[in-house]
Amino acid sequence: MRAICAALSLLLTPFAAASTDFQKITCPVVGTFVKSGLLVPDQEGFITKDQTFAAMLDHGVPMTIAQATTDSNFFSFACPNCPTRIDPFRMNTIPSGRRMNSPFGEPQEHFRSTGIREGRGLAAFLAGQQRCLPPGATAWTRANVECFTLVWDRDMGCPGIPSNDVSEDKRPAGCKRCESRADNPACKSGMFDTIMFMFDAFKNPITETFAKDEYRAMWLDMEFPSGHRVPSPTKAPQTPEPKTQNPPTAAPATLAPRTQSPATLSPPTKAP
């Protein structure tokens, strides 16, 4: 009986496990939306495609980026192996250092990965920053971020800083293990698209740059940049309009019959 009661209590308990352990979320954009409260998992801990798409649009993410992002993470023509809903705290489906296919029906990993949010953390981010951001620079440009995508763009065992893991089923045709996109354009993968989407969606629209400290904060702490402050989750209560009594209705006026003869009517004319 105790076992049955314990099982029932688990089923009836609202989702709470890992709901505040945001470091488990491997995608910095999804993590930022969840941490800010703009994307709230249901009681089972899942988010859906429509929910994520709506949250991104509501927070100013361009529609093309929101569409491409959700299509590549949730079940769609672009990703038939993706799940219909995702537990954002369990998106790391390939262990670090492994080369394997992403599990069918579970969150799909990119072909290659930075590992910044999969355990490599600050050290990996600083390695990319040191390689791609000039000394004294205070903001990331598009060129800097494109450089950033190449830092981990080789399989494990290759020269340089390798990918954290490899999703073999996502390997582009013709891309060899030790080739990056810089060596072979065929090696372009989801890691490049995701990092560039993040830059394009949250950069300063005036300067076309991403402040250095804010770029780091979004990657490591899942904090929106200053131009994308989180709106208040509570809305000011709307004051209902006072009910008004219907005004007394006057007796309908008696309309005089038209006396104009048809001969005097002008034909309809088109507006100039």
mmCIF file of all heavy atoms in Angstrom, residues 171-209:
data_model
loop_
_atom_site.group_PDB
_atom_site.id
_atom_site.type_symbol
_atom_site.label_atom_id
_atom_site.label_comp_id
_atom_site.label_asym_id
_atom_site.label_seq_id
_atom_site.Cartn_x
_atom_site.Cartn_y
_atom_site.Cartn_z
ATOM 1 N N ARG A 171 25.904 14.356 -39.899
ATOM 2 C CA ARG A 171 27.115 14.690 -40.654
ATOM 3 C C ARG A 171 26.753 15.026 -42.096
ATOM 4 O O ARG A 171 26.164 14.200 -42.806
ATOM 5 C CB ARG A 171 28.118 13.539 -40.625
ATOM 6 C CG ARG A 171 29.445 13.869 -41.350
ATOM 7 C CD ARG A 171 30.396 12.679 -41.350
ATOM 8 N NE ARG A 171 30.820 12.335 -39.998
ATOM 9 C CZ ARG A 171 31.807 12.948 -39.349
ATOM 10 N NH1 ARG A 171 32.478 13.920 -39.947
ATOM 11 N NH2 ARG A 171 32.138 12.584 -38.131
ATOM 12 N N PRO A 172 27.138 16.229 -42.567
ATOM 13 C CA PRO A 172 26.852 16.581 -43.959
ATOM 14 C C PRO A 172 27.632 15.680 -44.917
ATOM 15 O O PRO A 172 28.765 15.274 -44.624
ATOM 16 C CB PRO A 172 27.329 18.041 -44.053
ATOM 17 C CG PRO A 172 27.353 18.536 -42.636
ATOM 18 C CD PRO A 172 27.725 17.345 -41.809
ATOM 19 N N ALA A 173 27.027 15.375 -46.023
ATOM 20 C CA ALA A 173 27.683 14.523 -47.015
ATOM 21 C C ALA A 173 28.978 15.188 -47.493
ATOM 22 O O ALA A 173 29.004 16.373 -47.811
ATOM 23 C CB ALA A 173 26.755 14.289 -48.204
ATOM 24 N N GLY A 174 30.051 14.415 -47.486
ATOM 25 C CA GLY A 174 31.333 14.927 -47.965
ATOM 26 C C GLY A 174 32.171 15.615 -46.914
ATOM 27 O O GLY A 174 33.269 16.088 -47.214
ATOM 28 N N CYS A 175 31.681 15.690 -45.668
ATOM 29 C CA CYS A 175 32.434 16.361 -44.594
ATOM 30 C C CYS A 175 33.255 15.332 -43.824
ATOM 31 O O CYS A 175 32.713 14.426 -43.190
ATOM 32 C CB CYS A 175 31.473 17.078 -43.645
ATOM 33 S SG CYS A 175 32.315 17.951 -42.290
ATOM 34 N N LYS A 176 34.574 15.468 -43.877
ATOM 35 C CA LYS A 176 35.470 14.531 -43.206
ATOM 36 C C LYS A 176 35.657 14.920 -41.739
ATOM 37 O O LYS A 176 35.362 16.036 -41.333
ATOM 38 C CB LYS A 176 36.816 14.499 -43.919
ATOM 39 C CG LYS A 176 36.727 14.008 -45.365
ATOM 40 C CD LYS A 176 38.084 14.018 -46.039
ATOM 41 C CE LYS A 176 37.988 13.554 -47.489
ATOM 42 N NZ LYS A 176 39.314 13.595 -48.166
ATOM 43 N N ARG A 177 36.152 13.991 -40.974
ATOM 44 C CA ARG A 177 36.239 14.165 -39.516
ATOM 45 C C ARG A 177 37.040 15.400 -39.113
ATOM 46 O O ARG A 177 36.675 16.096 -38.172
ATOM 47 C CB ARG A 177 36.862 12.919 -38.876
ATOM 48 C CG ARG A 177 35.959 11.696 -38.894
ATOM 49 C CD ARG A 177 36.651 10.518 -38.226
ATOM 50 N NE ARG A 177 37.107 10.877 -36.885
ATOM 51 C CZ ARG A 177 37.922 10.125 -36.150
ATOM 52 N NH1 ARG A 177 38.390 8.987 -36.632
ATOM 53 N NH2 ARG A 177 38.278 10.508 -34.939
ATOM 54 N N CYS A 178 38.141 15.657 -39.767
ATOM 55 C CA CYS A 178 39.001 16.771 -39.362
ATOM 56 C C CYS A 178 38.822 18.005 -40.227
ATOM 57 O O CYS A 178 39.667 18.902 -40.229
ATOM 58 C CB CYS A 178 40.465 16.331 -39.353
ATOM 59 S SG CYS A 178 40.847 15.113 -38.053
ATOM 60 N N GLU A 179 37.724 18.058 -40.955
ATOM 61 C CA GLU A 179 37.418 19.236 -41.763
ATOM 62 C C GLU A 179 36.403 20.109 -41.040
ATOM 63 O O GLU A 179 35.456 19.608 -40.426
ATOM 64 C CB GLU A 179 36.846 18.833 -43.122
ATOM 65 C CG GLU A 179 37.855 18.246 -44.080
ATOM 66 C CD GLU A 179 37.232 17.924 -45.432
ATOM 67 O OE1 GLU A 179 36.031 17.604 -45.478
ATOM 68 O OE2 GLU A 179 37.965 17.989 -46.443
ATOM 69 N N SER A 180 36.609 21.423 -41.121
ATOM 70 C CA SER A 180 35.642 22.376 -40.599
ATOM 71 C C SER A 180 34.953 23.051 -41.780
ATOM 72 O O SER A 180 35.294 22.801 -42.943
ATOM 73 C CB SER A 180 36.338 23.435 -39.743
ATOM 74 O OG SER A 180 37.104 24.306 -40.551
ATOM 75 N N ARG A 181 34.023 23.904 -41.482
ATOM 76 C CA ARG A 181 33.347 24.648 -42.550
ATOM 77 C C ARG A 181 34.332 25.540 -43.294
ATOM 78 O O ARG A 181 34.155 25.812 -44.485
ATOM 79 C CB ARG A 181 32.211 25.479 -41.944
ATOM 80 C CG ARG A 181 31.363 26.221 -42.963
ATOM 81 C CD ARG A 181 30.176 26.896 -42.273
ATOM 82 N NE ARG A 181 30.603 27.720 -41.157
ATOM 83 C CZ ARG A 181 31.048 28.973 -41.265
ATOM 84 N NH1 ARG A 181 31.135 29.543 -42.449
ATOM 85 N NH2 ARG A 181 31.414 29.655 -40.201
ATOM 86 N N ALA A 182 35.390 26.000 -42.598
ATOM 87 C CA ALA A 182 36.403 26.823 -43.252
ATOM 88 C C ALA A 182 37.202 26.006 -44.271
ATOM 89 O O ALA A 182 37.647 26.535 -45.294
ATOM 90 C CB ALA A 182 37.336 27.425 -42.218
ATOM 91 N N ASP A 183 37.361 24.710 -43.997
ATOM 92 C CA ASP A 183 38.095 23.838 -44.918
ATOM 93 C C ASP A 183 37.204 23.347 -46.049
ATOM 94 O O ASP A 183 37.653 23.191 -47.190
ATOM 95 C CB ASP A 183 38.644 22.618 -44.167
ATOM 96 C CG ASP A 183 39.504 23.014 -42.979
ATOM 97 O OD1 ASP A 183 40.334 23.924 -43.136
ATOM 98 O OD2 ASP A 183 39.314 22.426 -41.892
ATOM 99 N N ASN A 184 35.956 23.087 -45.701
ATOM 100 C CA ASN A 184 35.021 22.489 -46.649
ATOM 101 C C ASN A 184 33.625 23.052 -46.386
ATOM 102 O O ASN A 184 33.018 22.746 -45.355
ATOM 103 C CB ASN A 184 35.025 20.962 -46.482
ATOM 104 C CG ASN A 184 34.092 20.270 -47.454
ATOM 105 O OD1 ASN A 184 33.384 20.903 -48.234
ATOM 106 N ND2 ASN A 184 34.085 18.946 -47.389
ATOM 107 N N PRO A 185 33.103 23.880 -47.278
ATOM 108 C CA PRO A 185 31.777 24.476 -47.062
ATOM 109 C C PRO A 185 30.672 23.452 -46.823
ATOM 110 O O PRO A 185 29.649 23.763 -46.221
ATOM 111 C CB PRO A 185 31.533 25.272 -48.349
ATOM 112 C CG PRO A 185 32.908 25.569 -48.874
ATOM 113 C CD PRO A 185 33.731 24.373 -48.511
ATOM 114 N N ALA A 186 30.907 22.209 -47.247
ATOM 115 C CA ALA A 186 29.904 21.170 -47.041
ATOM 116 C C ALA A 186 29.724 20.840 -45.562
ATOM 117 O O ALA A 186 28.717 20.240 -45.178
ATOM 118 C CB ALA A 186 30.294 19.906 -47.804
ATOM 119 N N CYS A 187 30.681 21.229 -44.742
ATOM 120 C CA CYS A 187 30.617 20.910 -43.315
ATOM 121 C C CYS A 187 29.703 21.850 -42.518
ATOM 122 O O CYS A 187 29.610 21.727 -41.300
ATOM 123 C CB CYS A 187 32.017 20.934 -42.711
ATOM 124 S SG CYS A 187 33.089 19.584 -43.273
ATOM 125 N N LYS A 188 29.068 22.797 -43.176
ATOM 126 C CA LYS A 188 28.139 23.696 -42.488
ATOM 127 C C LYS A 188 27.056 22.882 -41.788
ATOM 128 O O LYS A 188 26.445 21.997 -42.385
ATOM 129 C CB LYS A 188 27.505 24.667 -43.481
ATOM 130 C CG LYS A 188 26.535 25.658 -42.861
ATOM 131 C CD LYS A 188 26.039 26.623 -43.930
ATOM 132 C CE LYS A 188 25.047 27.623 -43.360
ATOM 133 N NZ LYS A 188 23.778 26.989 -42.977
ATOM 134 N N SER A 189 26.820 23.182 -40.520
ATOM 135 C CA SER A 189 25.878 22.372 -39.754
ATOM 136 C C SER A 189 25.000 23.238 -38.859
ATOM 137 O O SER A 189 25.092 24.465 -38.850
ATOM 138 C CB SER A 189 26.642 21.355 -38.886
ATOM 139 O OG SER A 189 27.319 22.012 -37.831
ATOM 140 N N GLY A 190 24.147 22.561 -38.097
ATOM 141 C CA GLY A 190 23.215 23.250 -37.210
ATOM 142 C C GLY A 190 23.898 24.097 -36.154
ATOM 143 O O GLY A 190 23.318 25.081 -35.687
ATOM 144 N N MET A 191 25.116 23.737 -35.754
ATOM 145 C CA MET A 191 25.815 24.544 -34.755
ATOM 146 C C MET A 191 26.047 25.952 -35.285
ATOM 147 O O MET A 191 25.845 26.942 -34.564
ATOM 148 C CB MET A 191 27.162 23.899 -34.385
ATOM 149 C CG MET A 191 27.973 24.710 -33.375
ATOM 150 S SD MET A 191 29.507 23.887 -32.853
ATOM 151 C CE MET A 191 30.461 23.905 -34.377
ATOM 152 N N PHE A 192 26.448 26.049 -36.542
ATOM 153 C CA PHE A 192 26.658 27.369 -37.148
ATOM 154 C C PHE A 192 25.352 28.159 -37.181
ATOM 155 O O PHE A 192 25.303 29.322 -36.772
ATOM 156 C CB PHE A 192 27.211 27.209 -38.566
ATOM 157 C CG PHE A 192 27.264 28.493 -39.354
ATOM 158 C CD1 PHE A 192 28.315 29.377 -39.183
ATOM 159 C CD2 PHE A 192 26.251 28.818 -40.252
ATOM 160 C CE1 PHE A 192 28.362 30.577 -39.899
ATOM 161 C CE2 PHE A 192 26.290 30.003 -40.968
ATOM 162 C CZ PHE A 192 27.349 30.891 -40.789
ATOM 163 N N ASP A 193 24.292 27.526 -37.676
ATOM 164 C CA ASP A 193 23.013 28.227 -37.787
ATOM 165 C C ASP A 193 22.518 28.714 -36.434
ATOM 166 O O ASP A 193 22.058 29.848 -36.293
ATOM 167 C CB ASP A 193 21.964 27.301 -38.414
ATOM 168 C CG ASP A 193 22.244 27.015 -39.888
ATOM 169 O OD1 ASP A 193 22.860 27.872 -40.543
ATOM 170 O OD2 ASP A 193 21.851 25.937 -40.366
ATOM 171 N N THR A 194 22.592 27.863 -35.416
ATOM 172 C CA THR A 194 22.074 28.219 -34.095
ATOM 173 C C THR A 194 22.818 29.401 -33.492
ATOM 174 O O THR A 194 22.205 30.327 -32.933
ATOM 175 C CB THR A 194 22.164 27.006 -33.151
ATOM 176 O OG1 THR A 194 21.363 25.942 -33.665
ATOM 177 C CG2 THR A 194 21.687 27.371 -31.759
ATOM 178 N N ILE A 195 24.135 29.384 -33.584
ATOM 179 C CA ILE A 195 24.925 30.474 -33.010
ATOM 180 C C ILE A 195 24.676 31.776 -33.759
ATOM 181 O O ILE A 195 24.570 32.851 -33.149
ATOM 182 C CB ILE A 195 26.424 30.099 -33.007
ATOM 183 C CG1 ILE A 195 26.663 28.913 -32.060
ATOM 184 C CG2 ILE A 195 27.279 31.298 -32.581
ATOM 185 C CD1 ILE A 195 28.094 28.395 -32.072
ATOM 186 N N MET A 196 24.537 31.692 -35.076
ATOM 187 C CA MET A 196 24.272 32.897 -35.855
ATOM 188 C C MET A 196 22.852 33.407 -35.624
ATOM 189 O O MET A 196 22.610 34.618 -35.600
ATOM 190 C CB MET A 196 24.520 32.642 -37.345
ATOM 191 C CG MET A 196 25.960 32.278 -37.695
ATOM 192 S SD MET A 196 27.235 33.346 -36.954
ATOM 193 C CE MET A 196 26.778 34.962 -37.597
ATOM 194 N N PHE A 197 21.888 32.506 -35.441
ATOM 195 C CA PHE A 197 20.517 32.917 -35.114
ATOM 196 C C PHE A 197 20.491 33.684 -33.802
ATOM 197 O O PHE A 197 19.797 34.693 -33.663
ATOM 198 C CB PHE A 197 19.605 31.696 -35.011
ATOM 199 C CG PHE A 197 19.209 31.097 -36.330
ATOM 200 C CD1 PHE A 197 18.718 29.798 -36.406
ATOM 201 C CD2 PHE A 197 19.305 31.828 -37.512
ATOM 202 C CE1 PHE A 197 18.339 29.243 -37.621
ATOM 203 C CE2 PHE A 197 18.934 31.287 -38.737
ATOM 204 C CZ PHE A 197 18.451 29.984 -38.781
ATOM 205 N N MET A 198 21.253 33.203 -32.828
ATOM 206 C CA MET A 198 21.314 33.873 -31.525
ATOM 207 C C MET A 198 21.853 35.290 -31.678
ATOM 208 O O MET A 198 21.326 36.246 -31.098
ATOM 209 C CB MET A 198 22.185 33.060 -30.566
ATOM 210 C CG MET A 198 22.428 33.700 -29.210
ATOM 211 S SD MET A 198 23.357 32.573 -28.131
ATOM 212 C CE MET A 198 24.014 33.728 -26.916
ATOM 213 N N PHE A 199 22.897 35.433 -32.479
ATOM 214 C CA PHE A 199 23.457 36.762 -32.713
ATOM 215 C C PHE A 199 22.456 37.665 -33.415
ATOM 216 O O PHE A 199 22.210 38.804 -32.991
ATOM 217 C CB PHE A 199 24.738 36.650 -33.551
ATOM 218 C CG PHE A 199 25.320 37.980 -33.948
ATOM 219 C CD1 PHE A 199 26.084 38.722 -33.057
ATOM 220 C CD2 PHE A 199 25.101 38.501 -35.220
ATOM 221 C CE1 PHE A 199 26.610 39.960 -33.420
ATOM 222 C CE2 PHE A 199 25.628 39.725 -35.594
ATOM 223 C CZ PHE A 199 26.380 40.459 -34.691
ATOM 224 N N ASP A 200 21.843 37.187 -34.481
ATOM 225 C CA ASP A 200 20.926 38.010 -35.269
ATOM 226 C C ASP A 200 19.671 38.384 -34.485
ATOM 227 O O ASP A 200 19.108 39.466 -34.683
ATOM 228 C CB ASP A 200 20.539 37.282 -36.553
ATOM 229 C CG ASP A 200 21.686 37.216 -37.554
ATOM 230 O OD1 ASP A 200 22.549 38.117 -37.523
ATOM 231 O OD2 ASP A 200 21.730 36.262 -38.354
ATOM 232 N N ALA A 201 19.219 37.503 -33.606
ATOM 233 C CA ALA A 201 17.984 37.762 -32.865
ATOM 234 C C ALA A 201 18.183 38.727 -31.704
ATOM 235 O O ALA A 201 17.257 39.463 -31.344
ATOM 236 C CB ALA A 201 17.404 36.447 -32.354
ATOM 237 N N PHE A 202 19.383 38.760 -31.115
ATOM 238 C CA PHE A 202 19.570 39.529 -29.883
ATOM 239 C C PHE A 202 20.661 40.601 -29.960
ATOM 240 O O PHE A 202 20.960 41.244 -28.958
ATOM 241 C CB PHE A 202 19.858 38.568 -28.718
ATOM 242 C CG PHE A 202 18.746 37.594 -28.477
ATOM 243 C CD1 PHE A 202 18.823 36.289 -28.938
ATOM 244 C CD2 PHE A 202 17.589 37.995 -27.823
ATOM 245 C CE1 PHE A 202 17.777 35.397 -28.737
ATOM 246 C CE2 PHE A 202 16.547 37.112 -27.606
ATOM 247 C CZ PHE A 202 16.636 35.808 -28.058
ATOM 248 N N LYS A 203 21.225 40.816 -31.113
ATOM 249 C CA LYS A 203 22.223 41.869 -31.268
ATOM 250 C C LYS A 203 21.571 43.233 -31.118
ATOM 251 O O LYS A 203 20.340 43.376 -31.192
ATOM 252 C CB LYS A 203 22.873 41.770 -32.652
ATOM 253 C CG LYS A 203 21.889 42.050 -33.791
ATOM 254 C CD LYS A 203 22.509 41.816 -35.154
ATOM 255 C CE LYS A 203 21.464 42.027 -36.258
ATOM 256 N NZ LYS A 203 21.998 41.755 -37.603
ATOM 257 N N ASN A 204 22.398 44.251 -30.908
ATOM 258 C CA ASN A 204 21.903 45.617 -30.885
ATOM 259 C C ASN A 204 21.531 46.005 -32.321
ATOM 260 O O ASN A 204 22.386 46.000 -33.206
ATOM 261 C CB ASN A 204 23.000 46.550 -30.356
ATOM 262 C CG ASN A 204 22.546 47.982 -30.203
ATOM 263 O OD1 ASN A 204 21.968 48.567 -31.113
ATOM 264 N ND2 ASN A 204 22.824 48.576 -29.054
ATOM 265 N N PRO A 205 20.275 46.333 -32.566
ATOM 266 C CA PRO A 205 19.860 46.603 -33.948
ATOM 267 C C PRO A 205 20.458 47.868 -34.534
ATOM 268 O O PRO A 205 20.472 48.042 -35.753
ATOM 269 C CB PRO A 205 18.332 46.709 -33.835
ATOM 270 C CG PRO A 205 18.086 47.127 -32.422
ATOM 271 C CD PRO A 205 19.155 46.459 -31.616
ATOM 272 N N ILE A 206 20.957 48.752 -33.688
ATOM 273 C CA ILE A 206 21.542 50.004 -34.180
ATOM 274 C C ILE A 206 23.010 49.809 -34.552
ATOM 275 O O ILE A 206 23.455 50.189 -35.628
ATOM 276 C CB ILE A 206 21.395 51.122 -33.127
ATOM 277 C CG1 ILE A 206 19.905 51.382 -32.855
ATOM 278 C CG2 ILE A 206 22.091 52.403 -33.588
ATOM 279 C CD1 ILE A 206 19.650 52.382 -31.750
ATOM 280 N N THR A 207 23.763 49.182 -33.637
ATOM 281 C CA THR A 207 25.192 48.992 -33.877
ATOM 282 C C THR A 207 25.500 47.701 -34.625
ATOM 283 O O THR A 207 26.626 47.514 -35.104
ATOM 284 C CB THR A 207 25.954 48.973 -32.544
ATOM 285 O OG1 THR A 207 25.506 47.843 -31.765
ATOM 286 C CG2 THR A 207 25.706 50.261 -31.761
ATOM 287 N N GLU A 208 24.508 46.801 -34.717
ATOM 288 C CA GLU A 208 24.704 45.503 -35.359
ATOM 289 C C GLU A 208 25.794 44.705 -34.652
ATOM 290 O O GLU A 208 26.528 43.916 -35.279
ATOM 291 C CB GLU A 208 25.055 45.668 -36.841
ATOM 292 C CG GLU A 208 23.948 46.286 -37.680
ATOM 293 C CD GLU A 208 22.811 45.312 -37.952
ATOM 294 O OE1 GLU A 208 23.091 44.130 -38.185
ATOM 295 O OE2 GLU A 208 21.637 45.754 -37.933
ATOM 296 N N THR A 209 25.906 44.893 -33.338
ATOM 297 C CA THR A 209 26.898 44.170 -32.545
ATOM 298 C C THR A 209 26.230 43.612 -31.289
ATOM 299 O O THR A 209 25.094 43.949 -30.962
ATOM 300 C CB THR A 209 28.066 45.073 -32.121
ATOM 301 O OG1 THR A 209 27.557 46.155 -31.305
ATOM 302 C CG2 THR A 209 28.791 45.644 -33.339
#
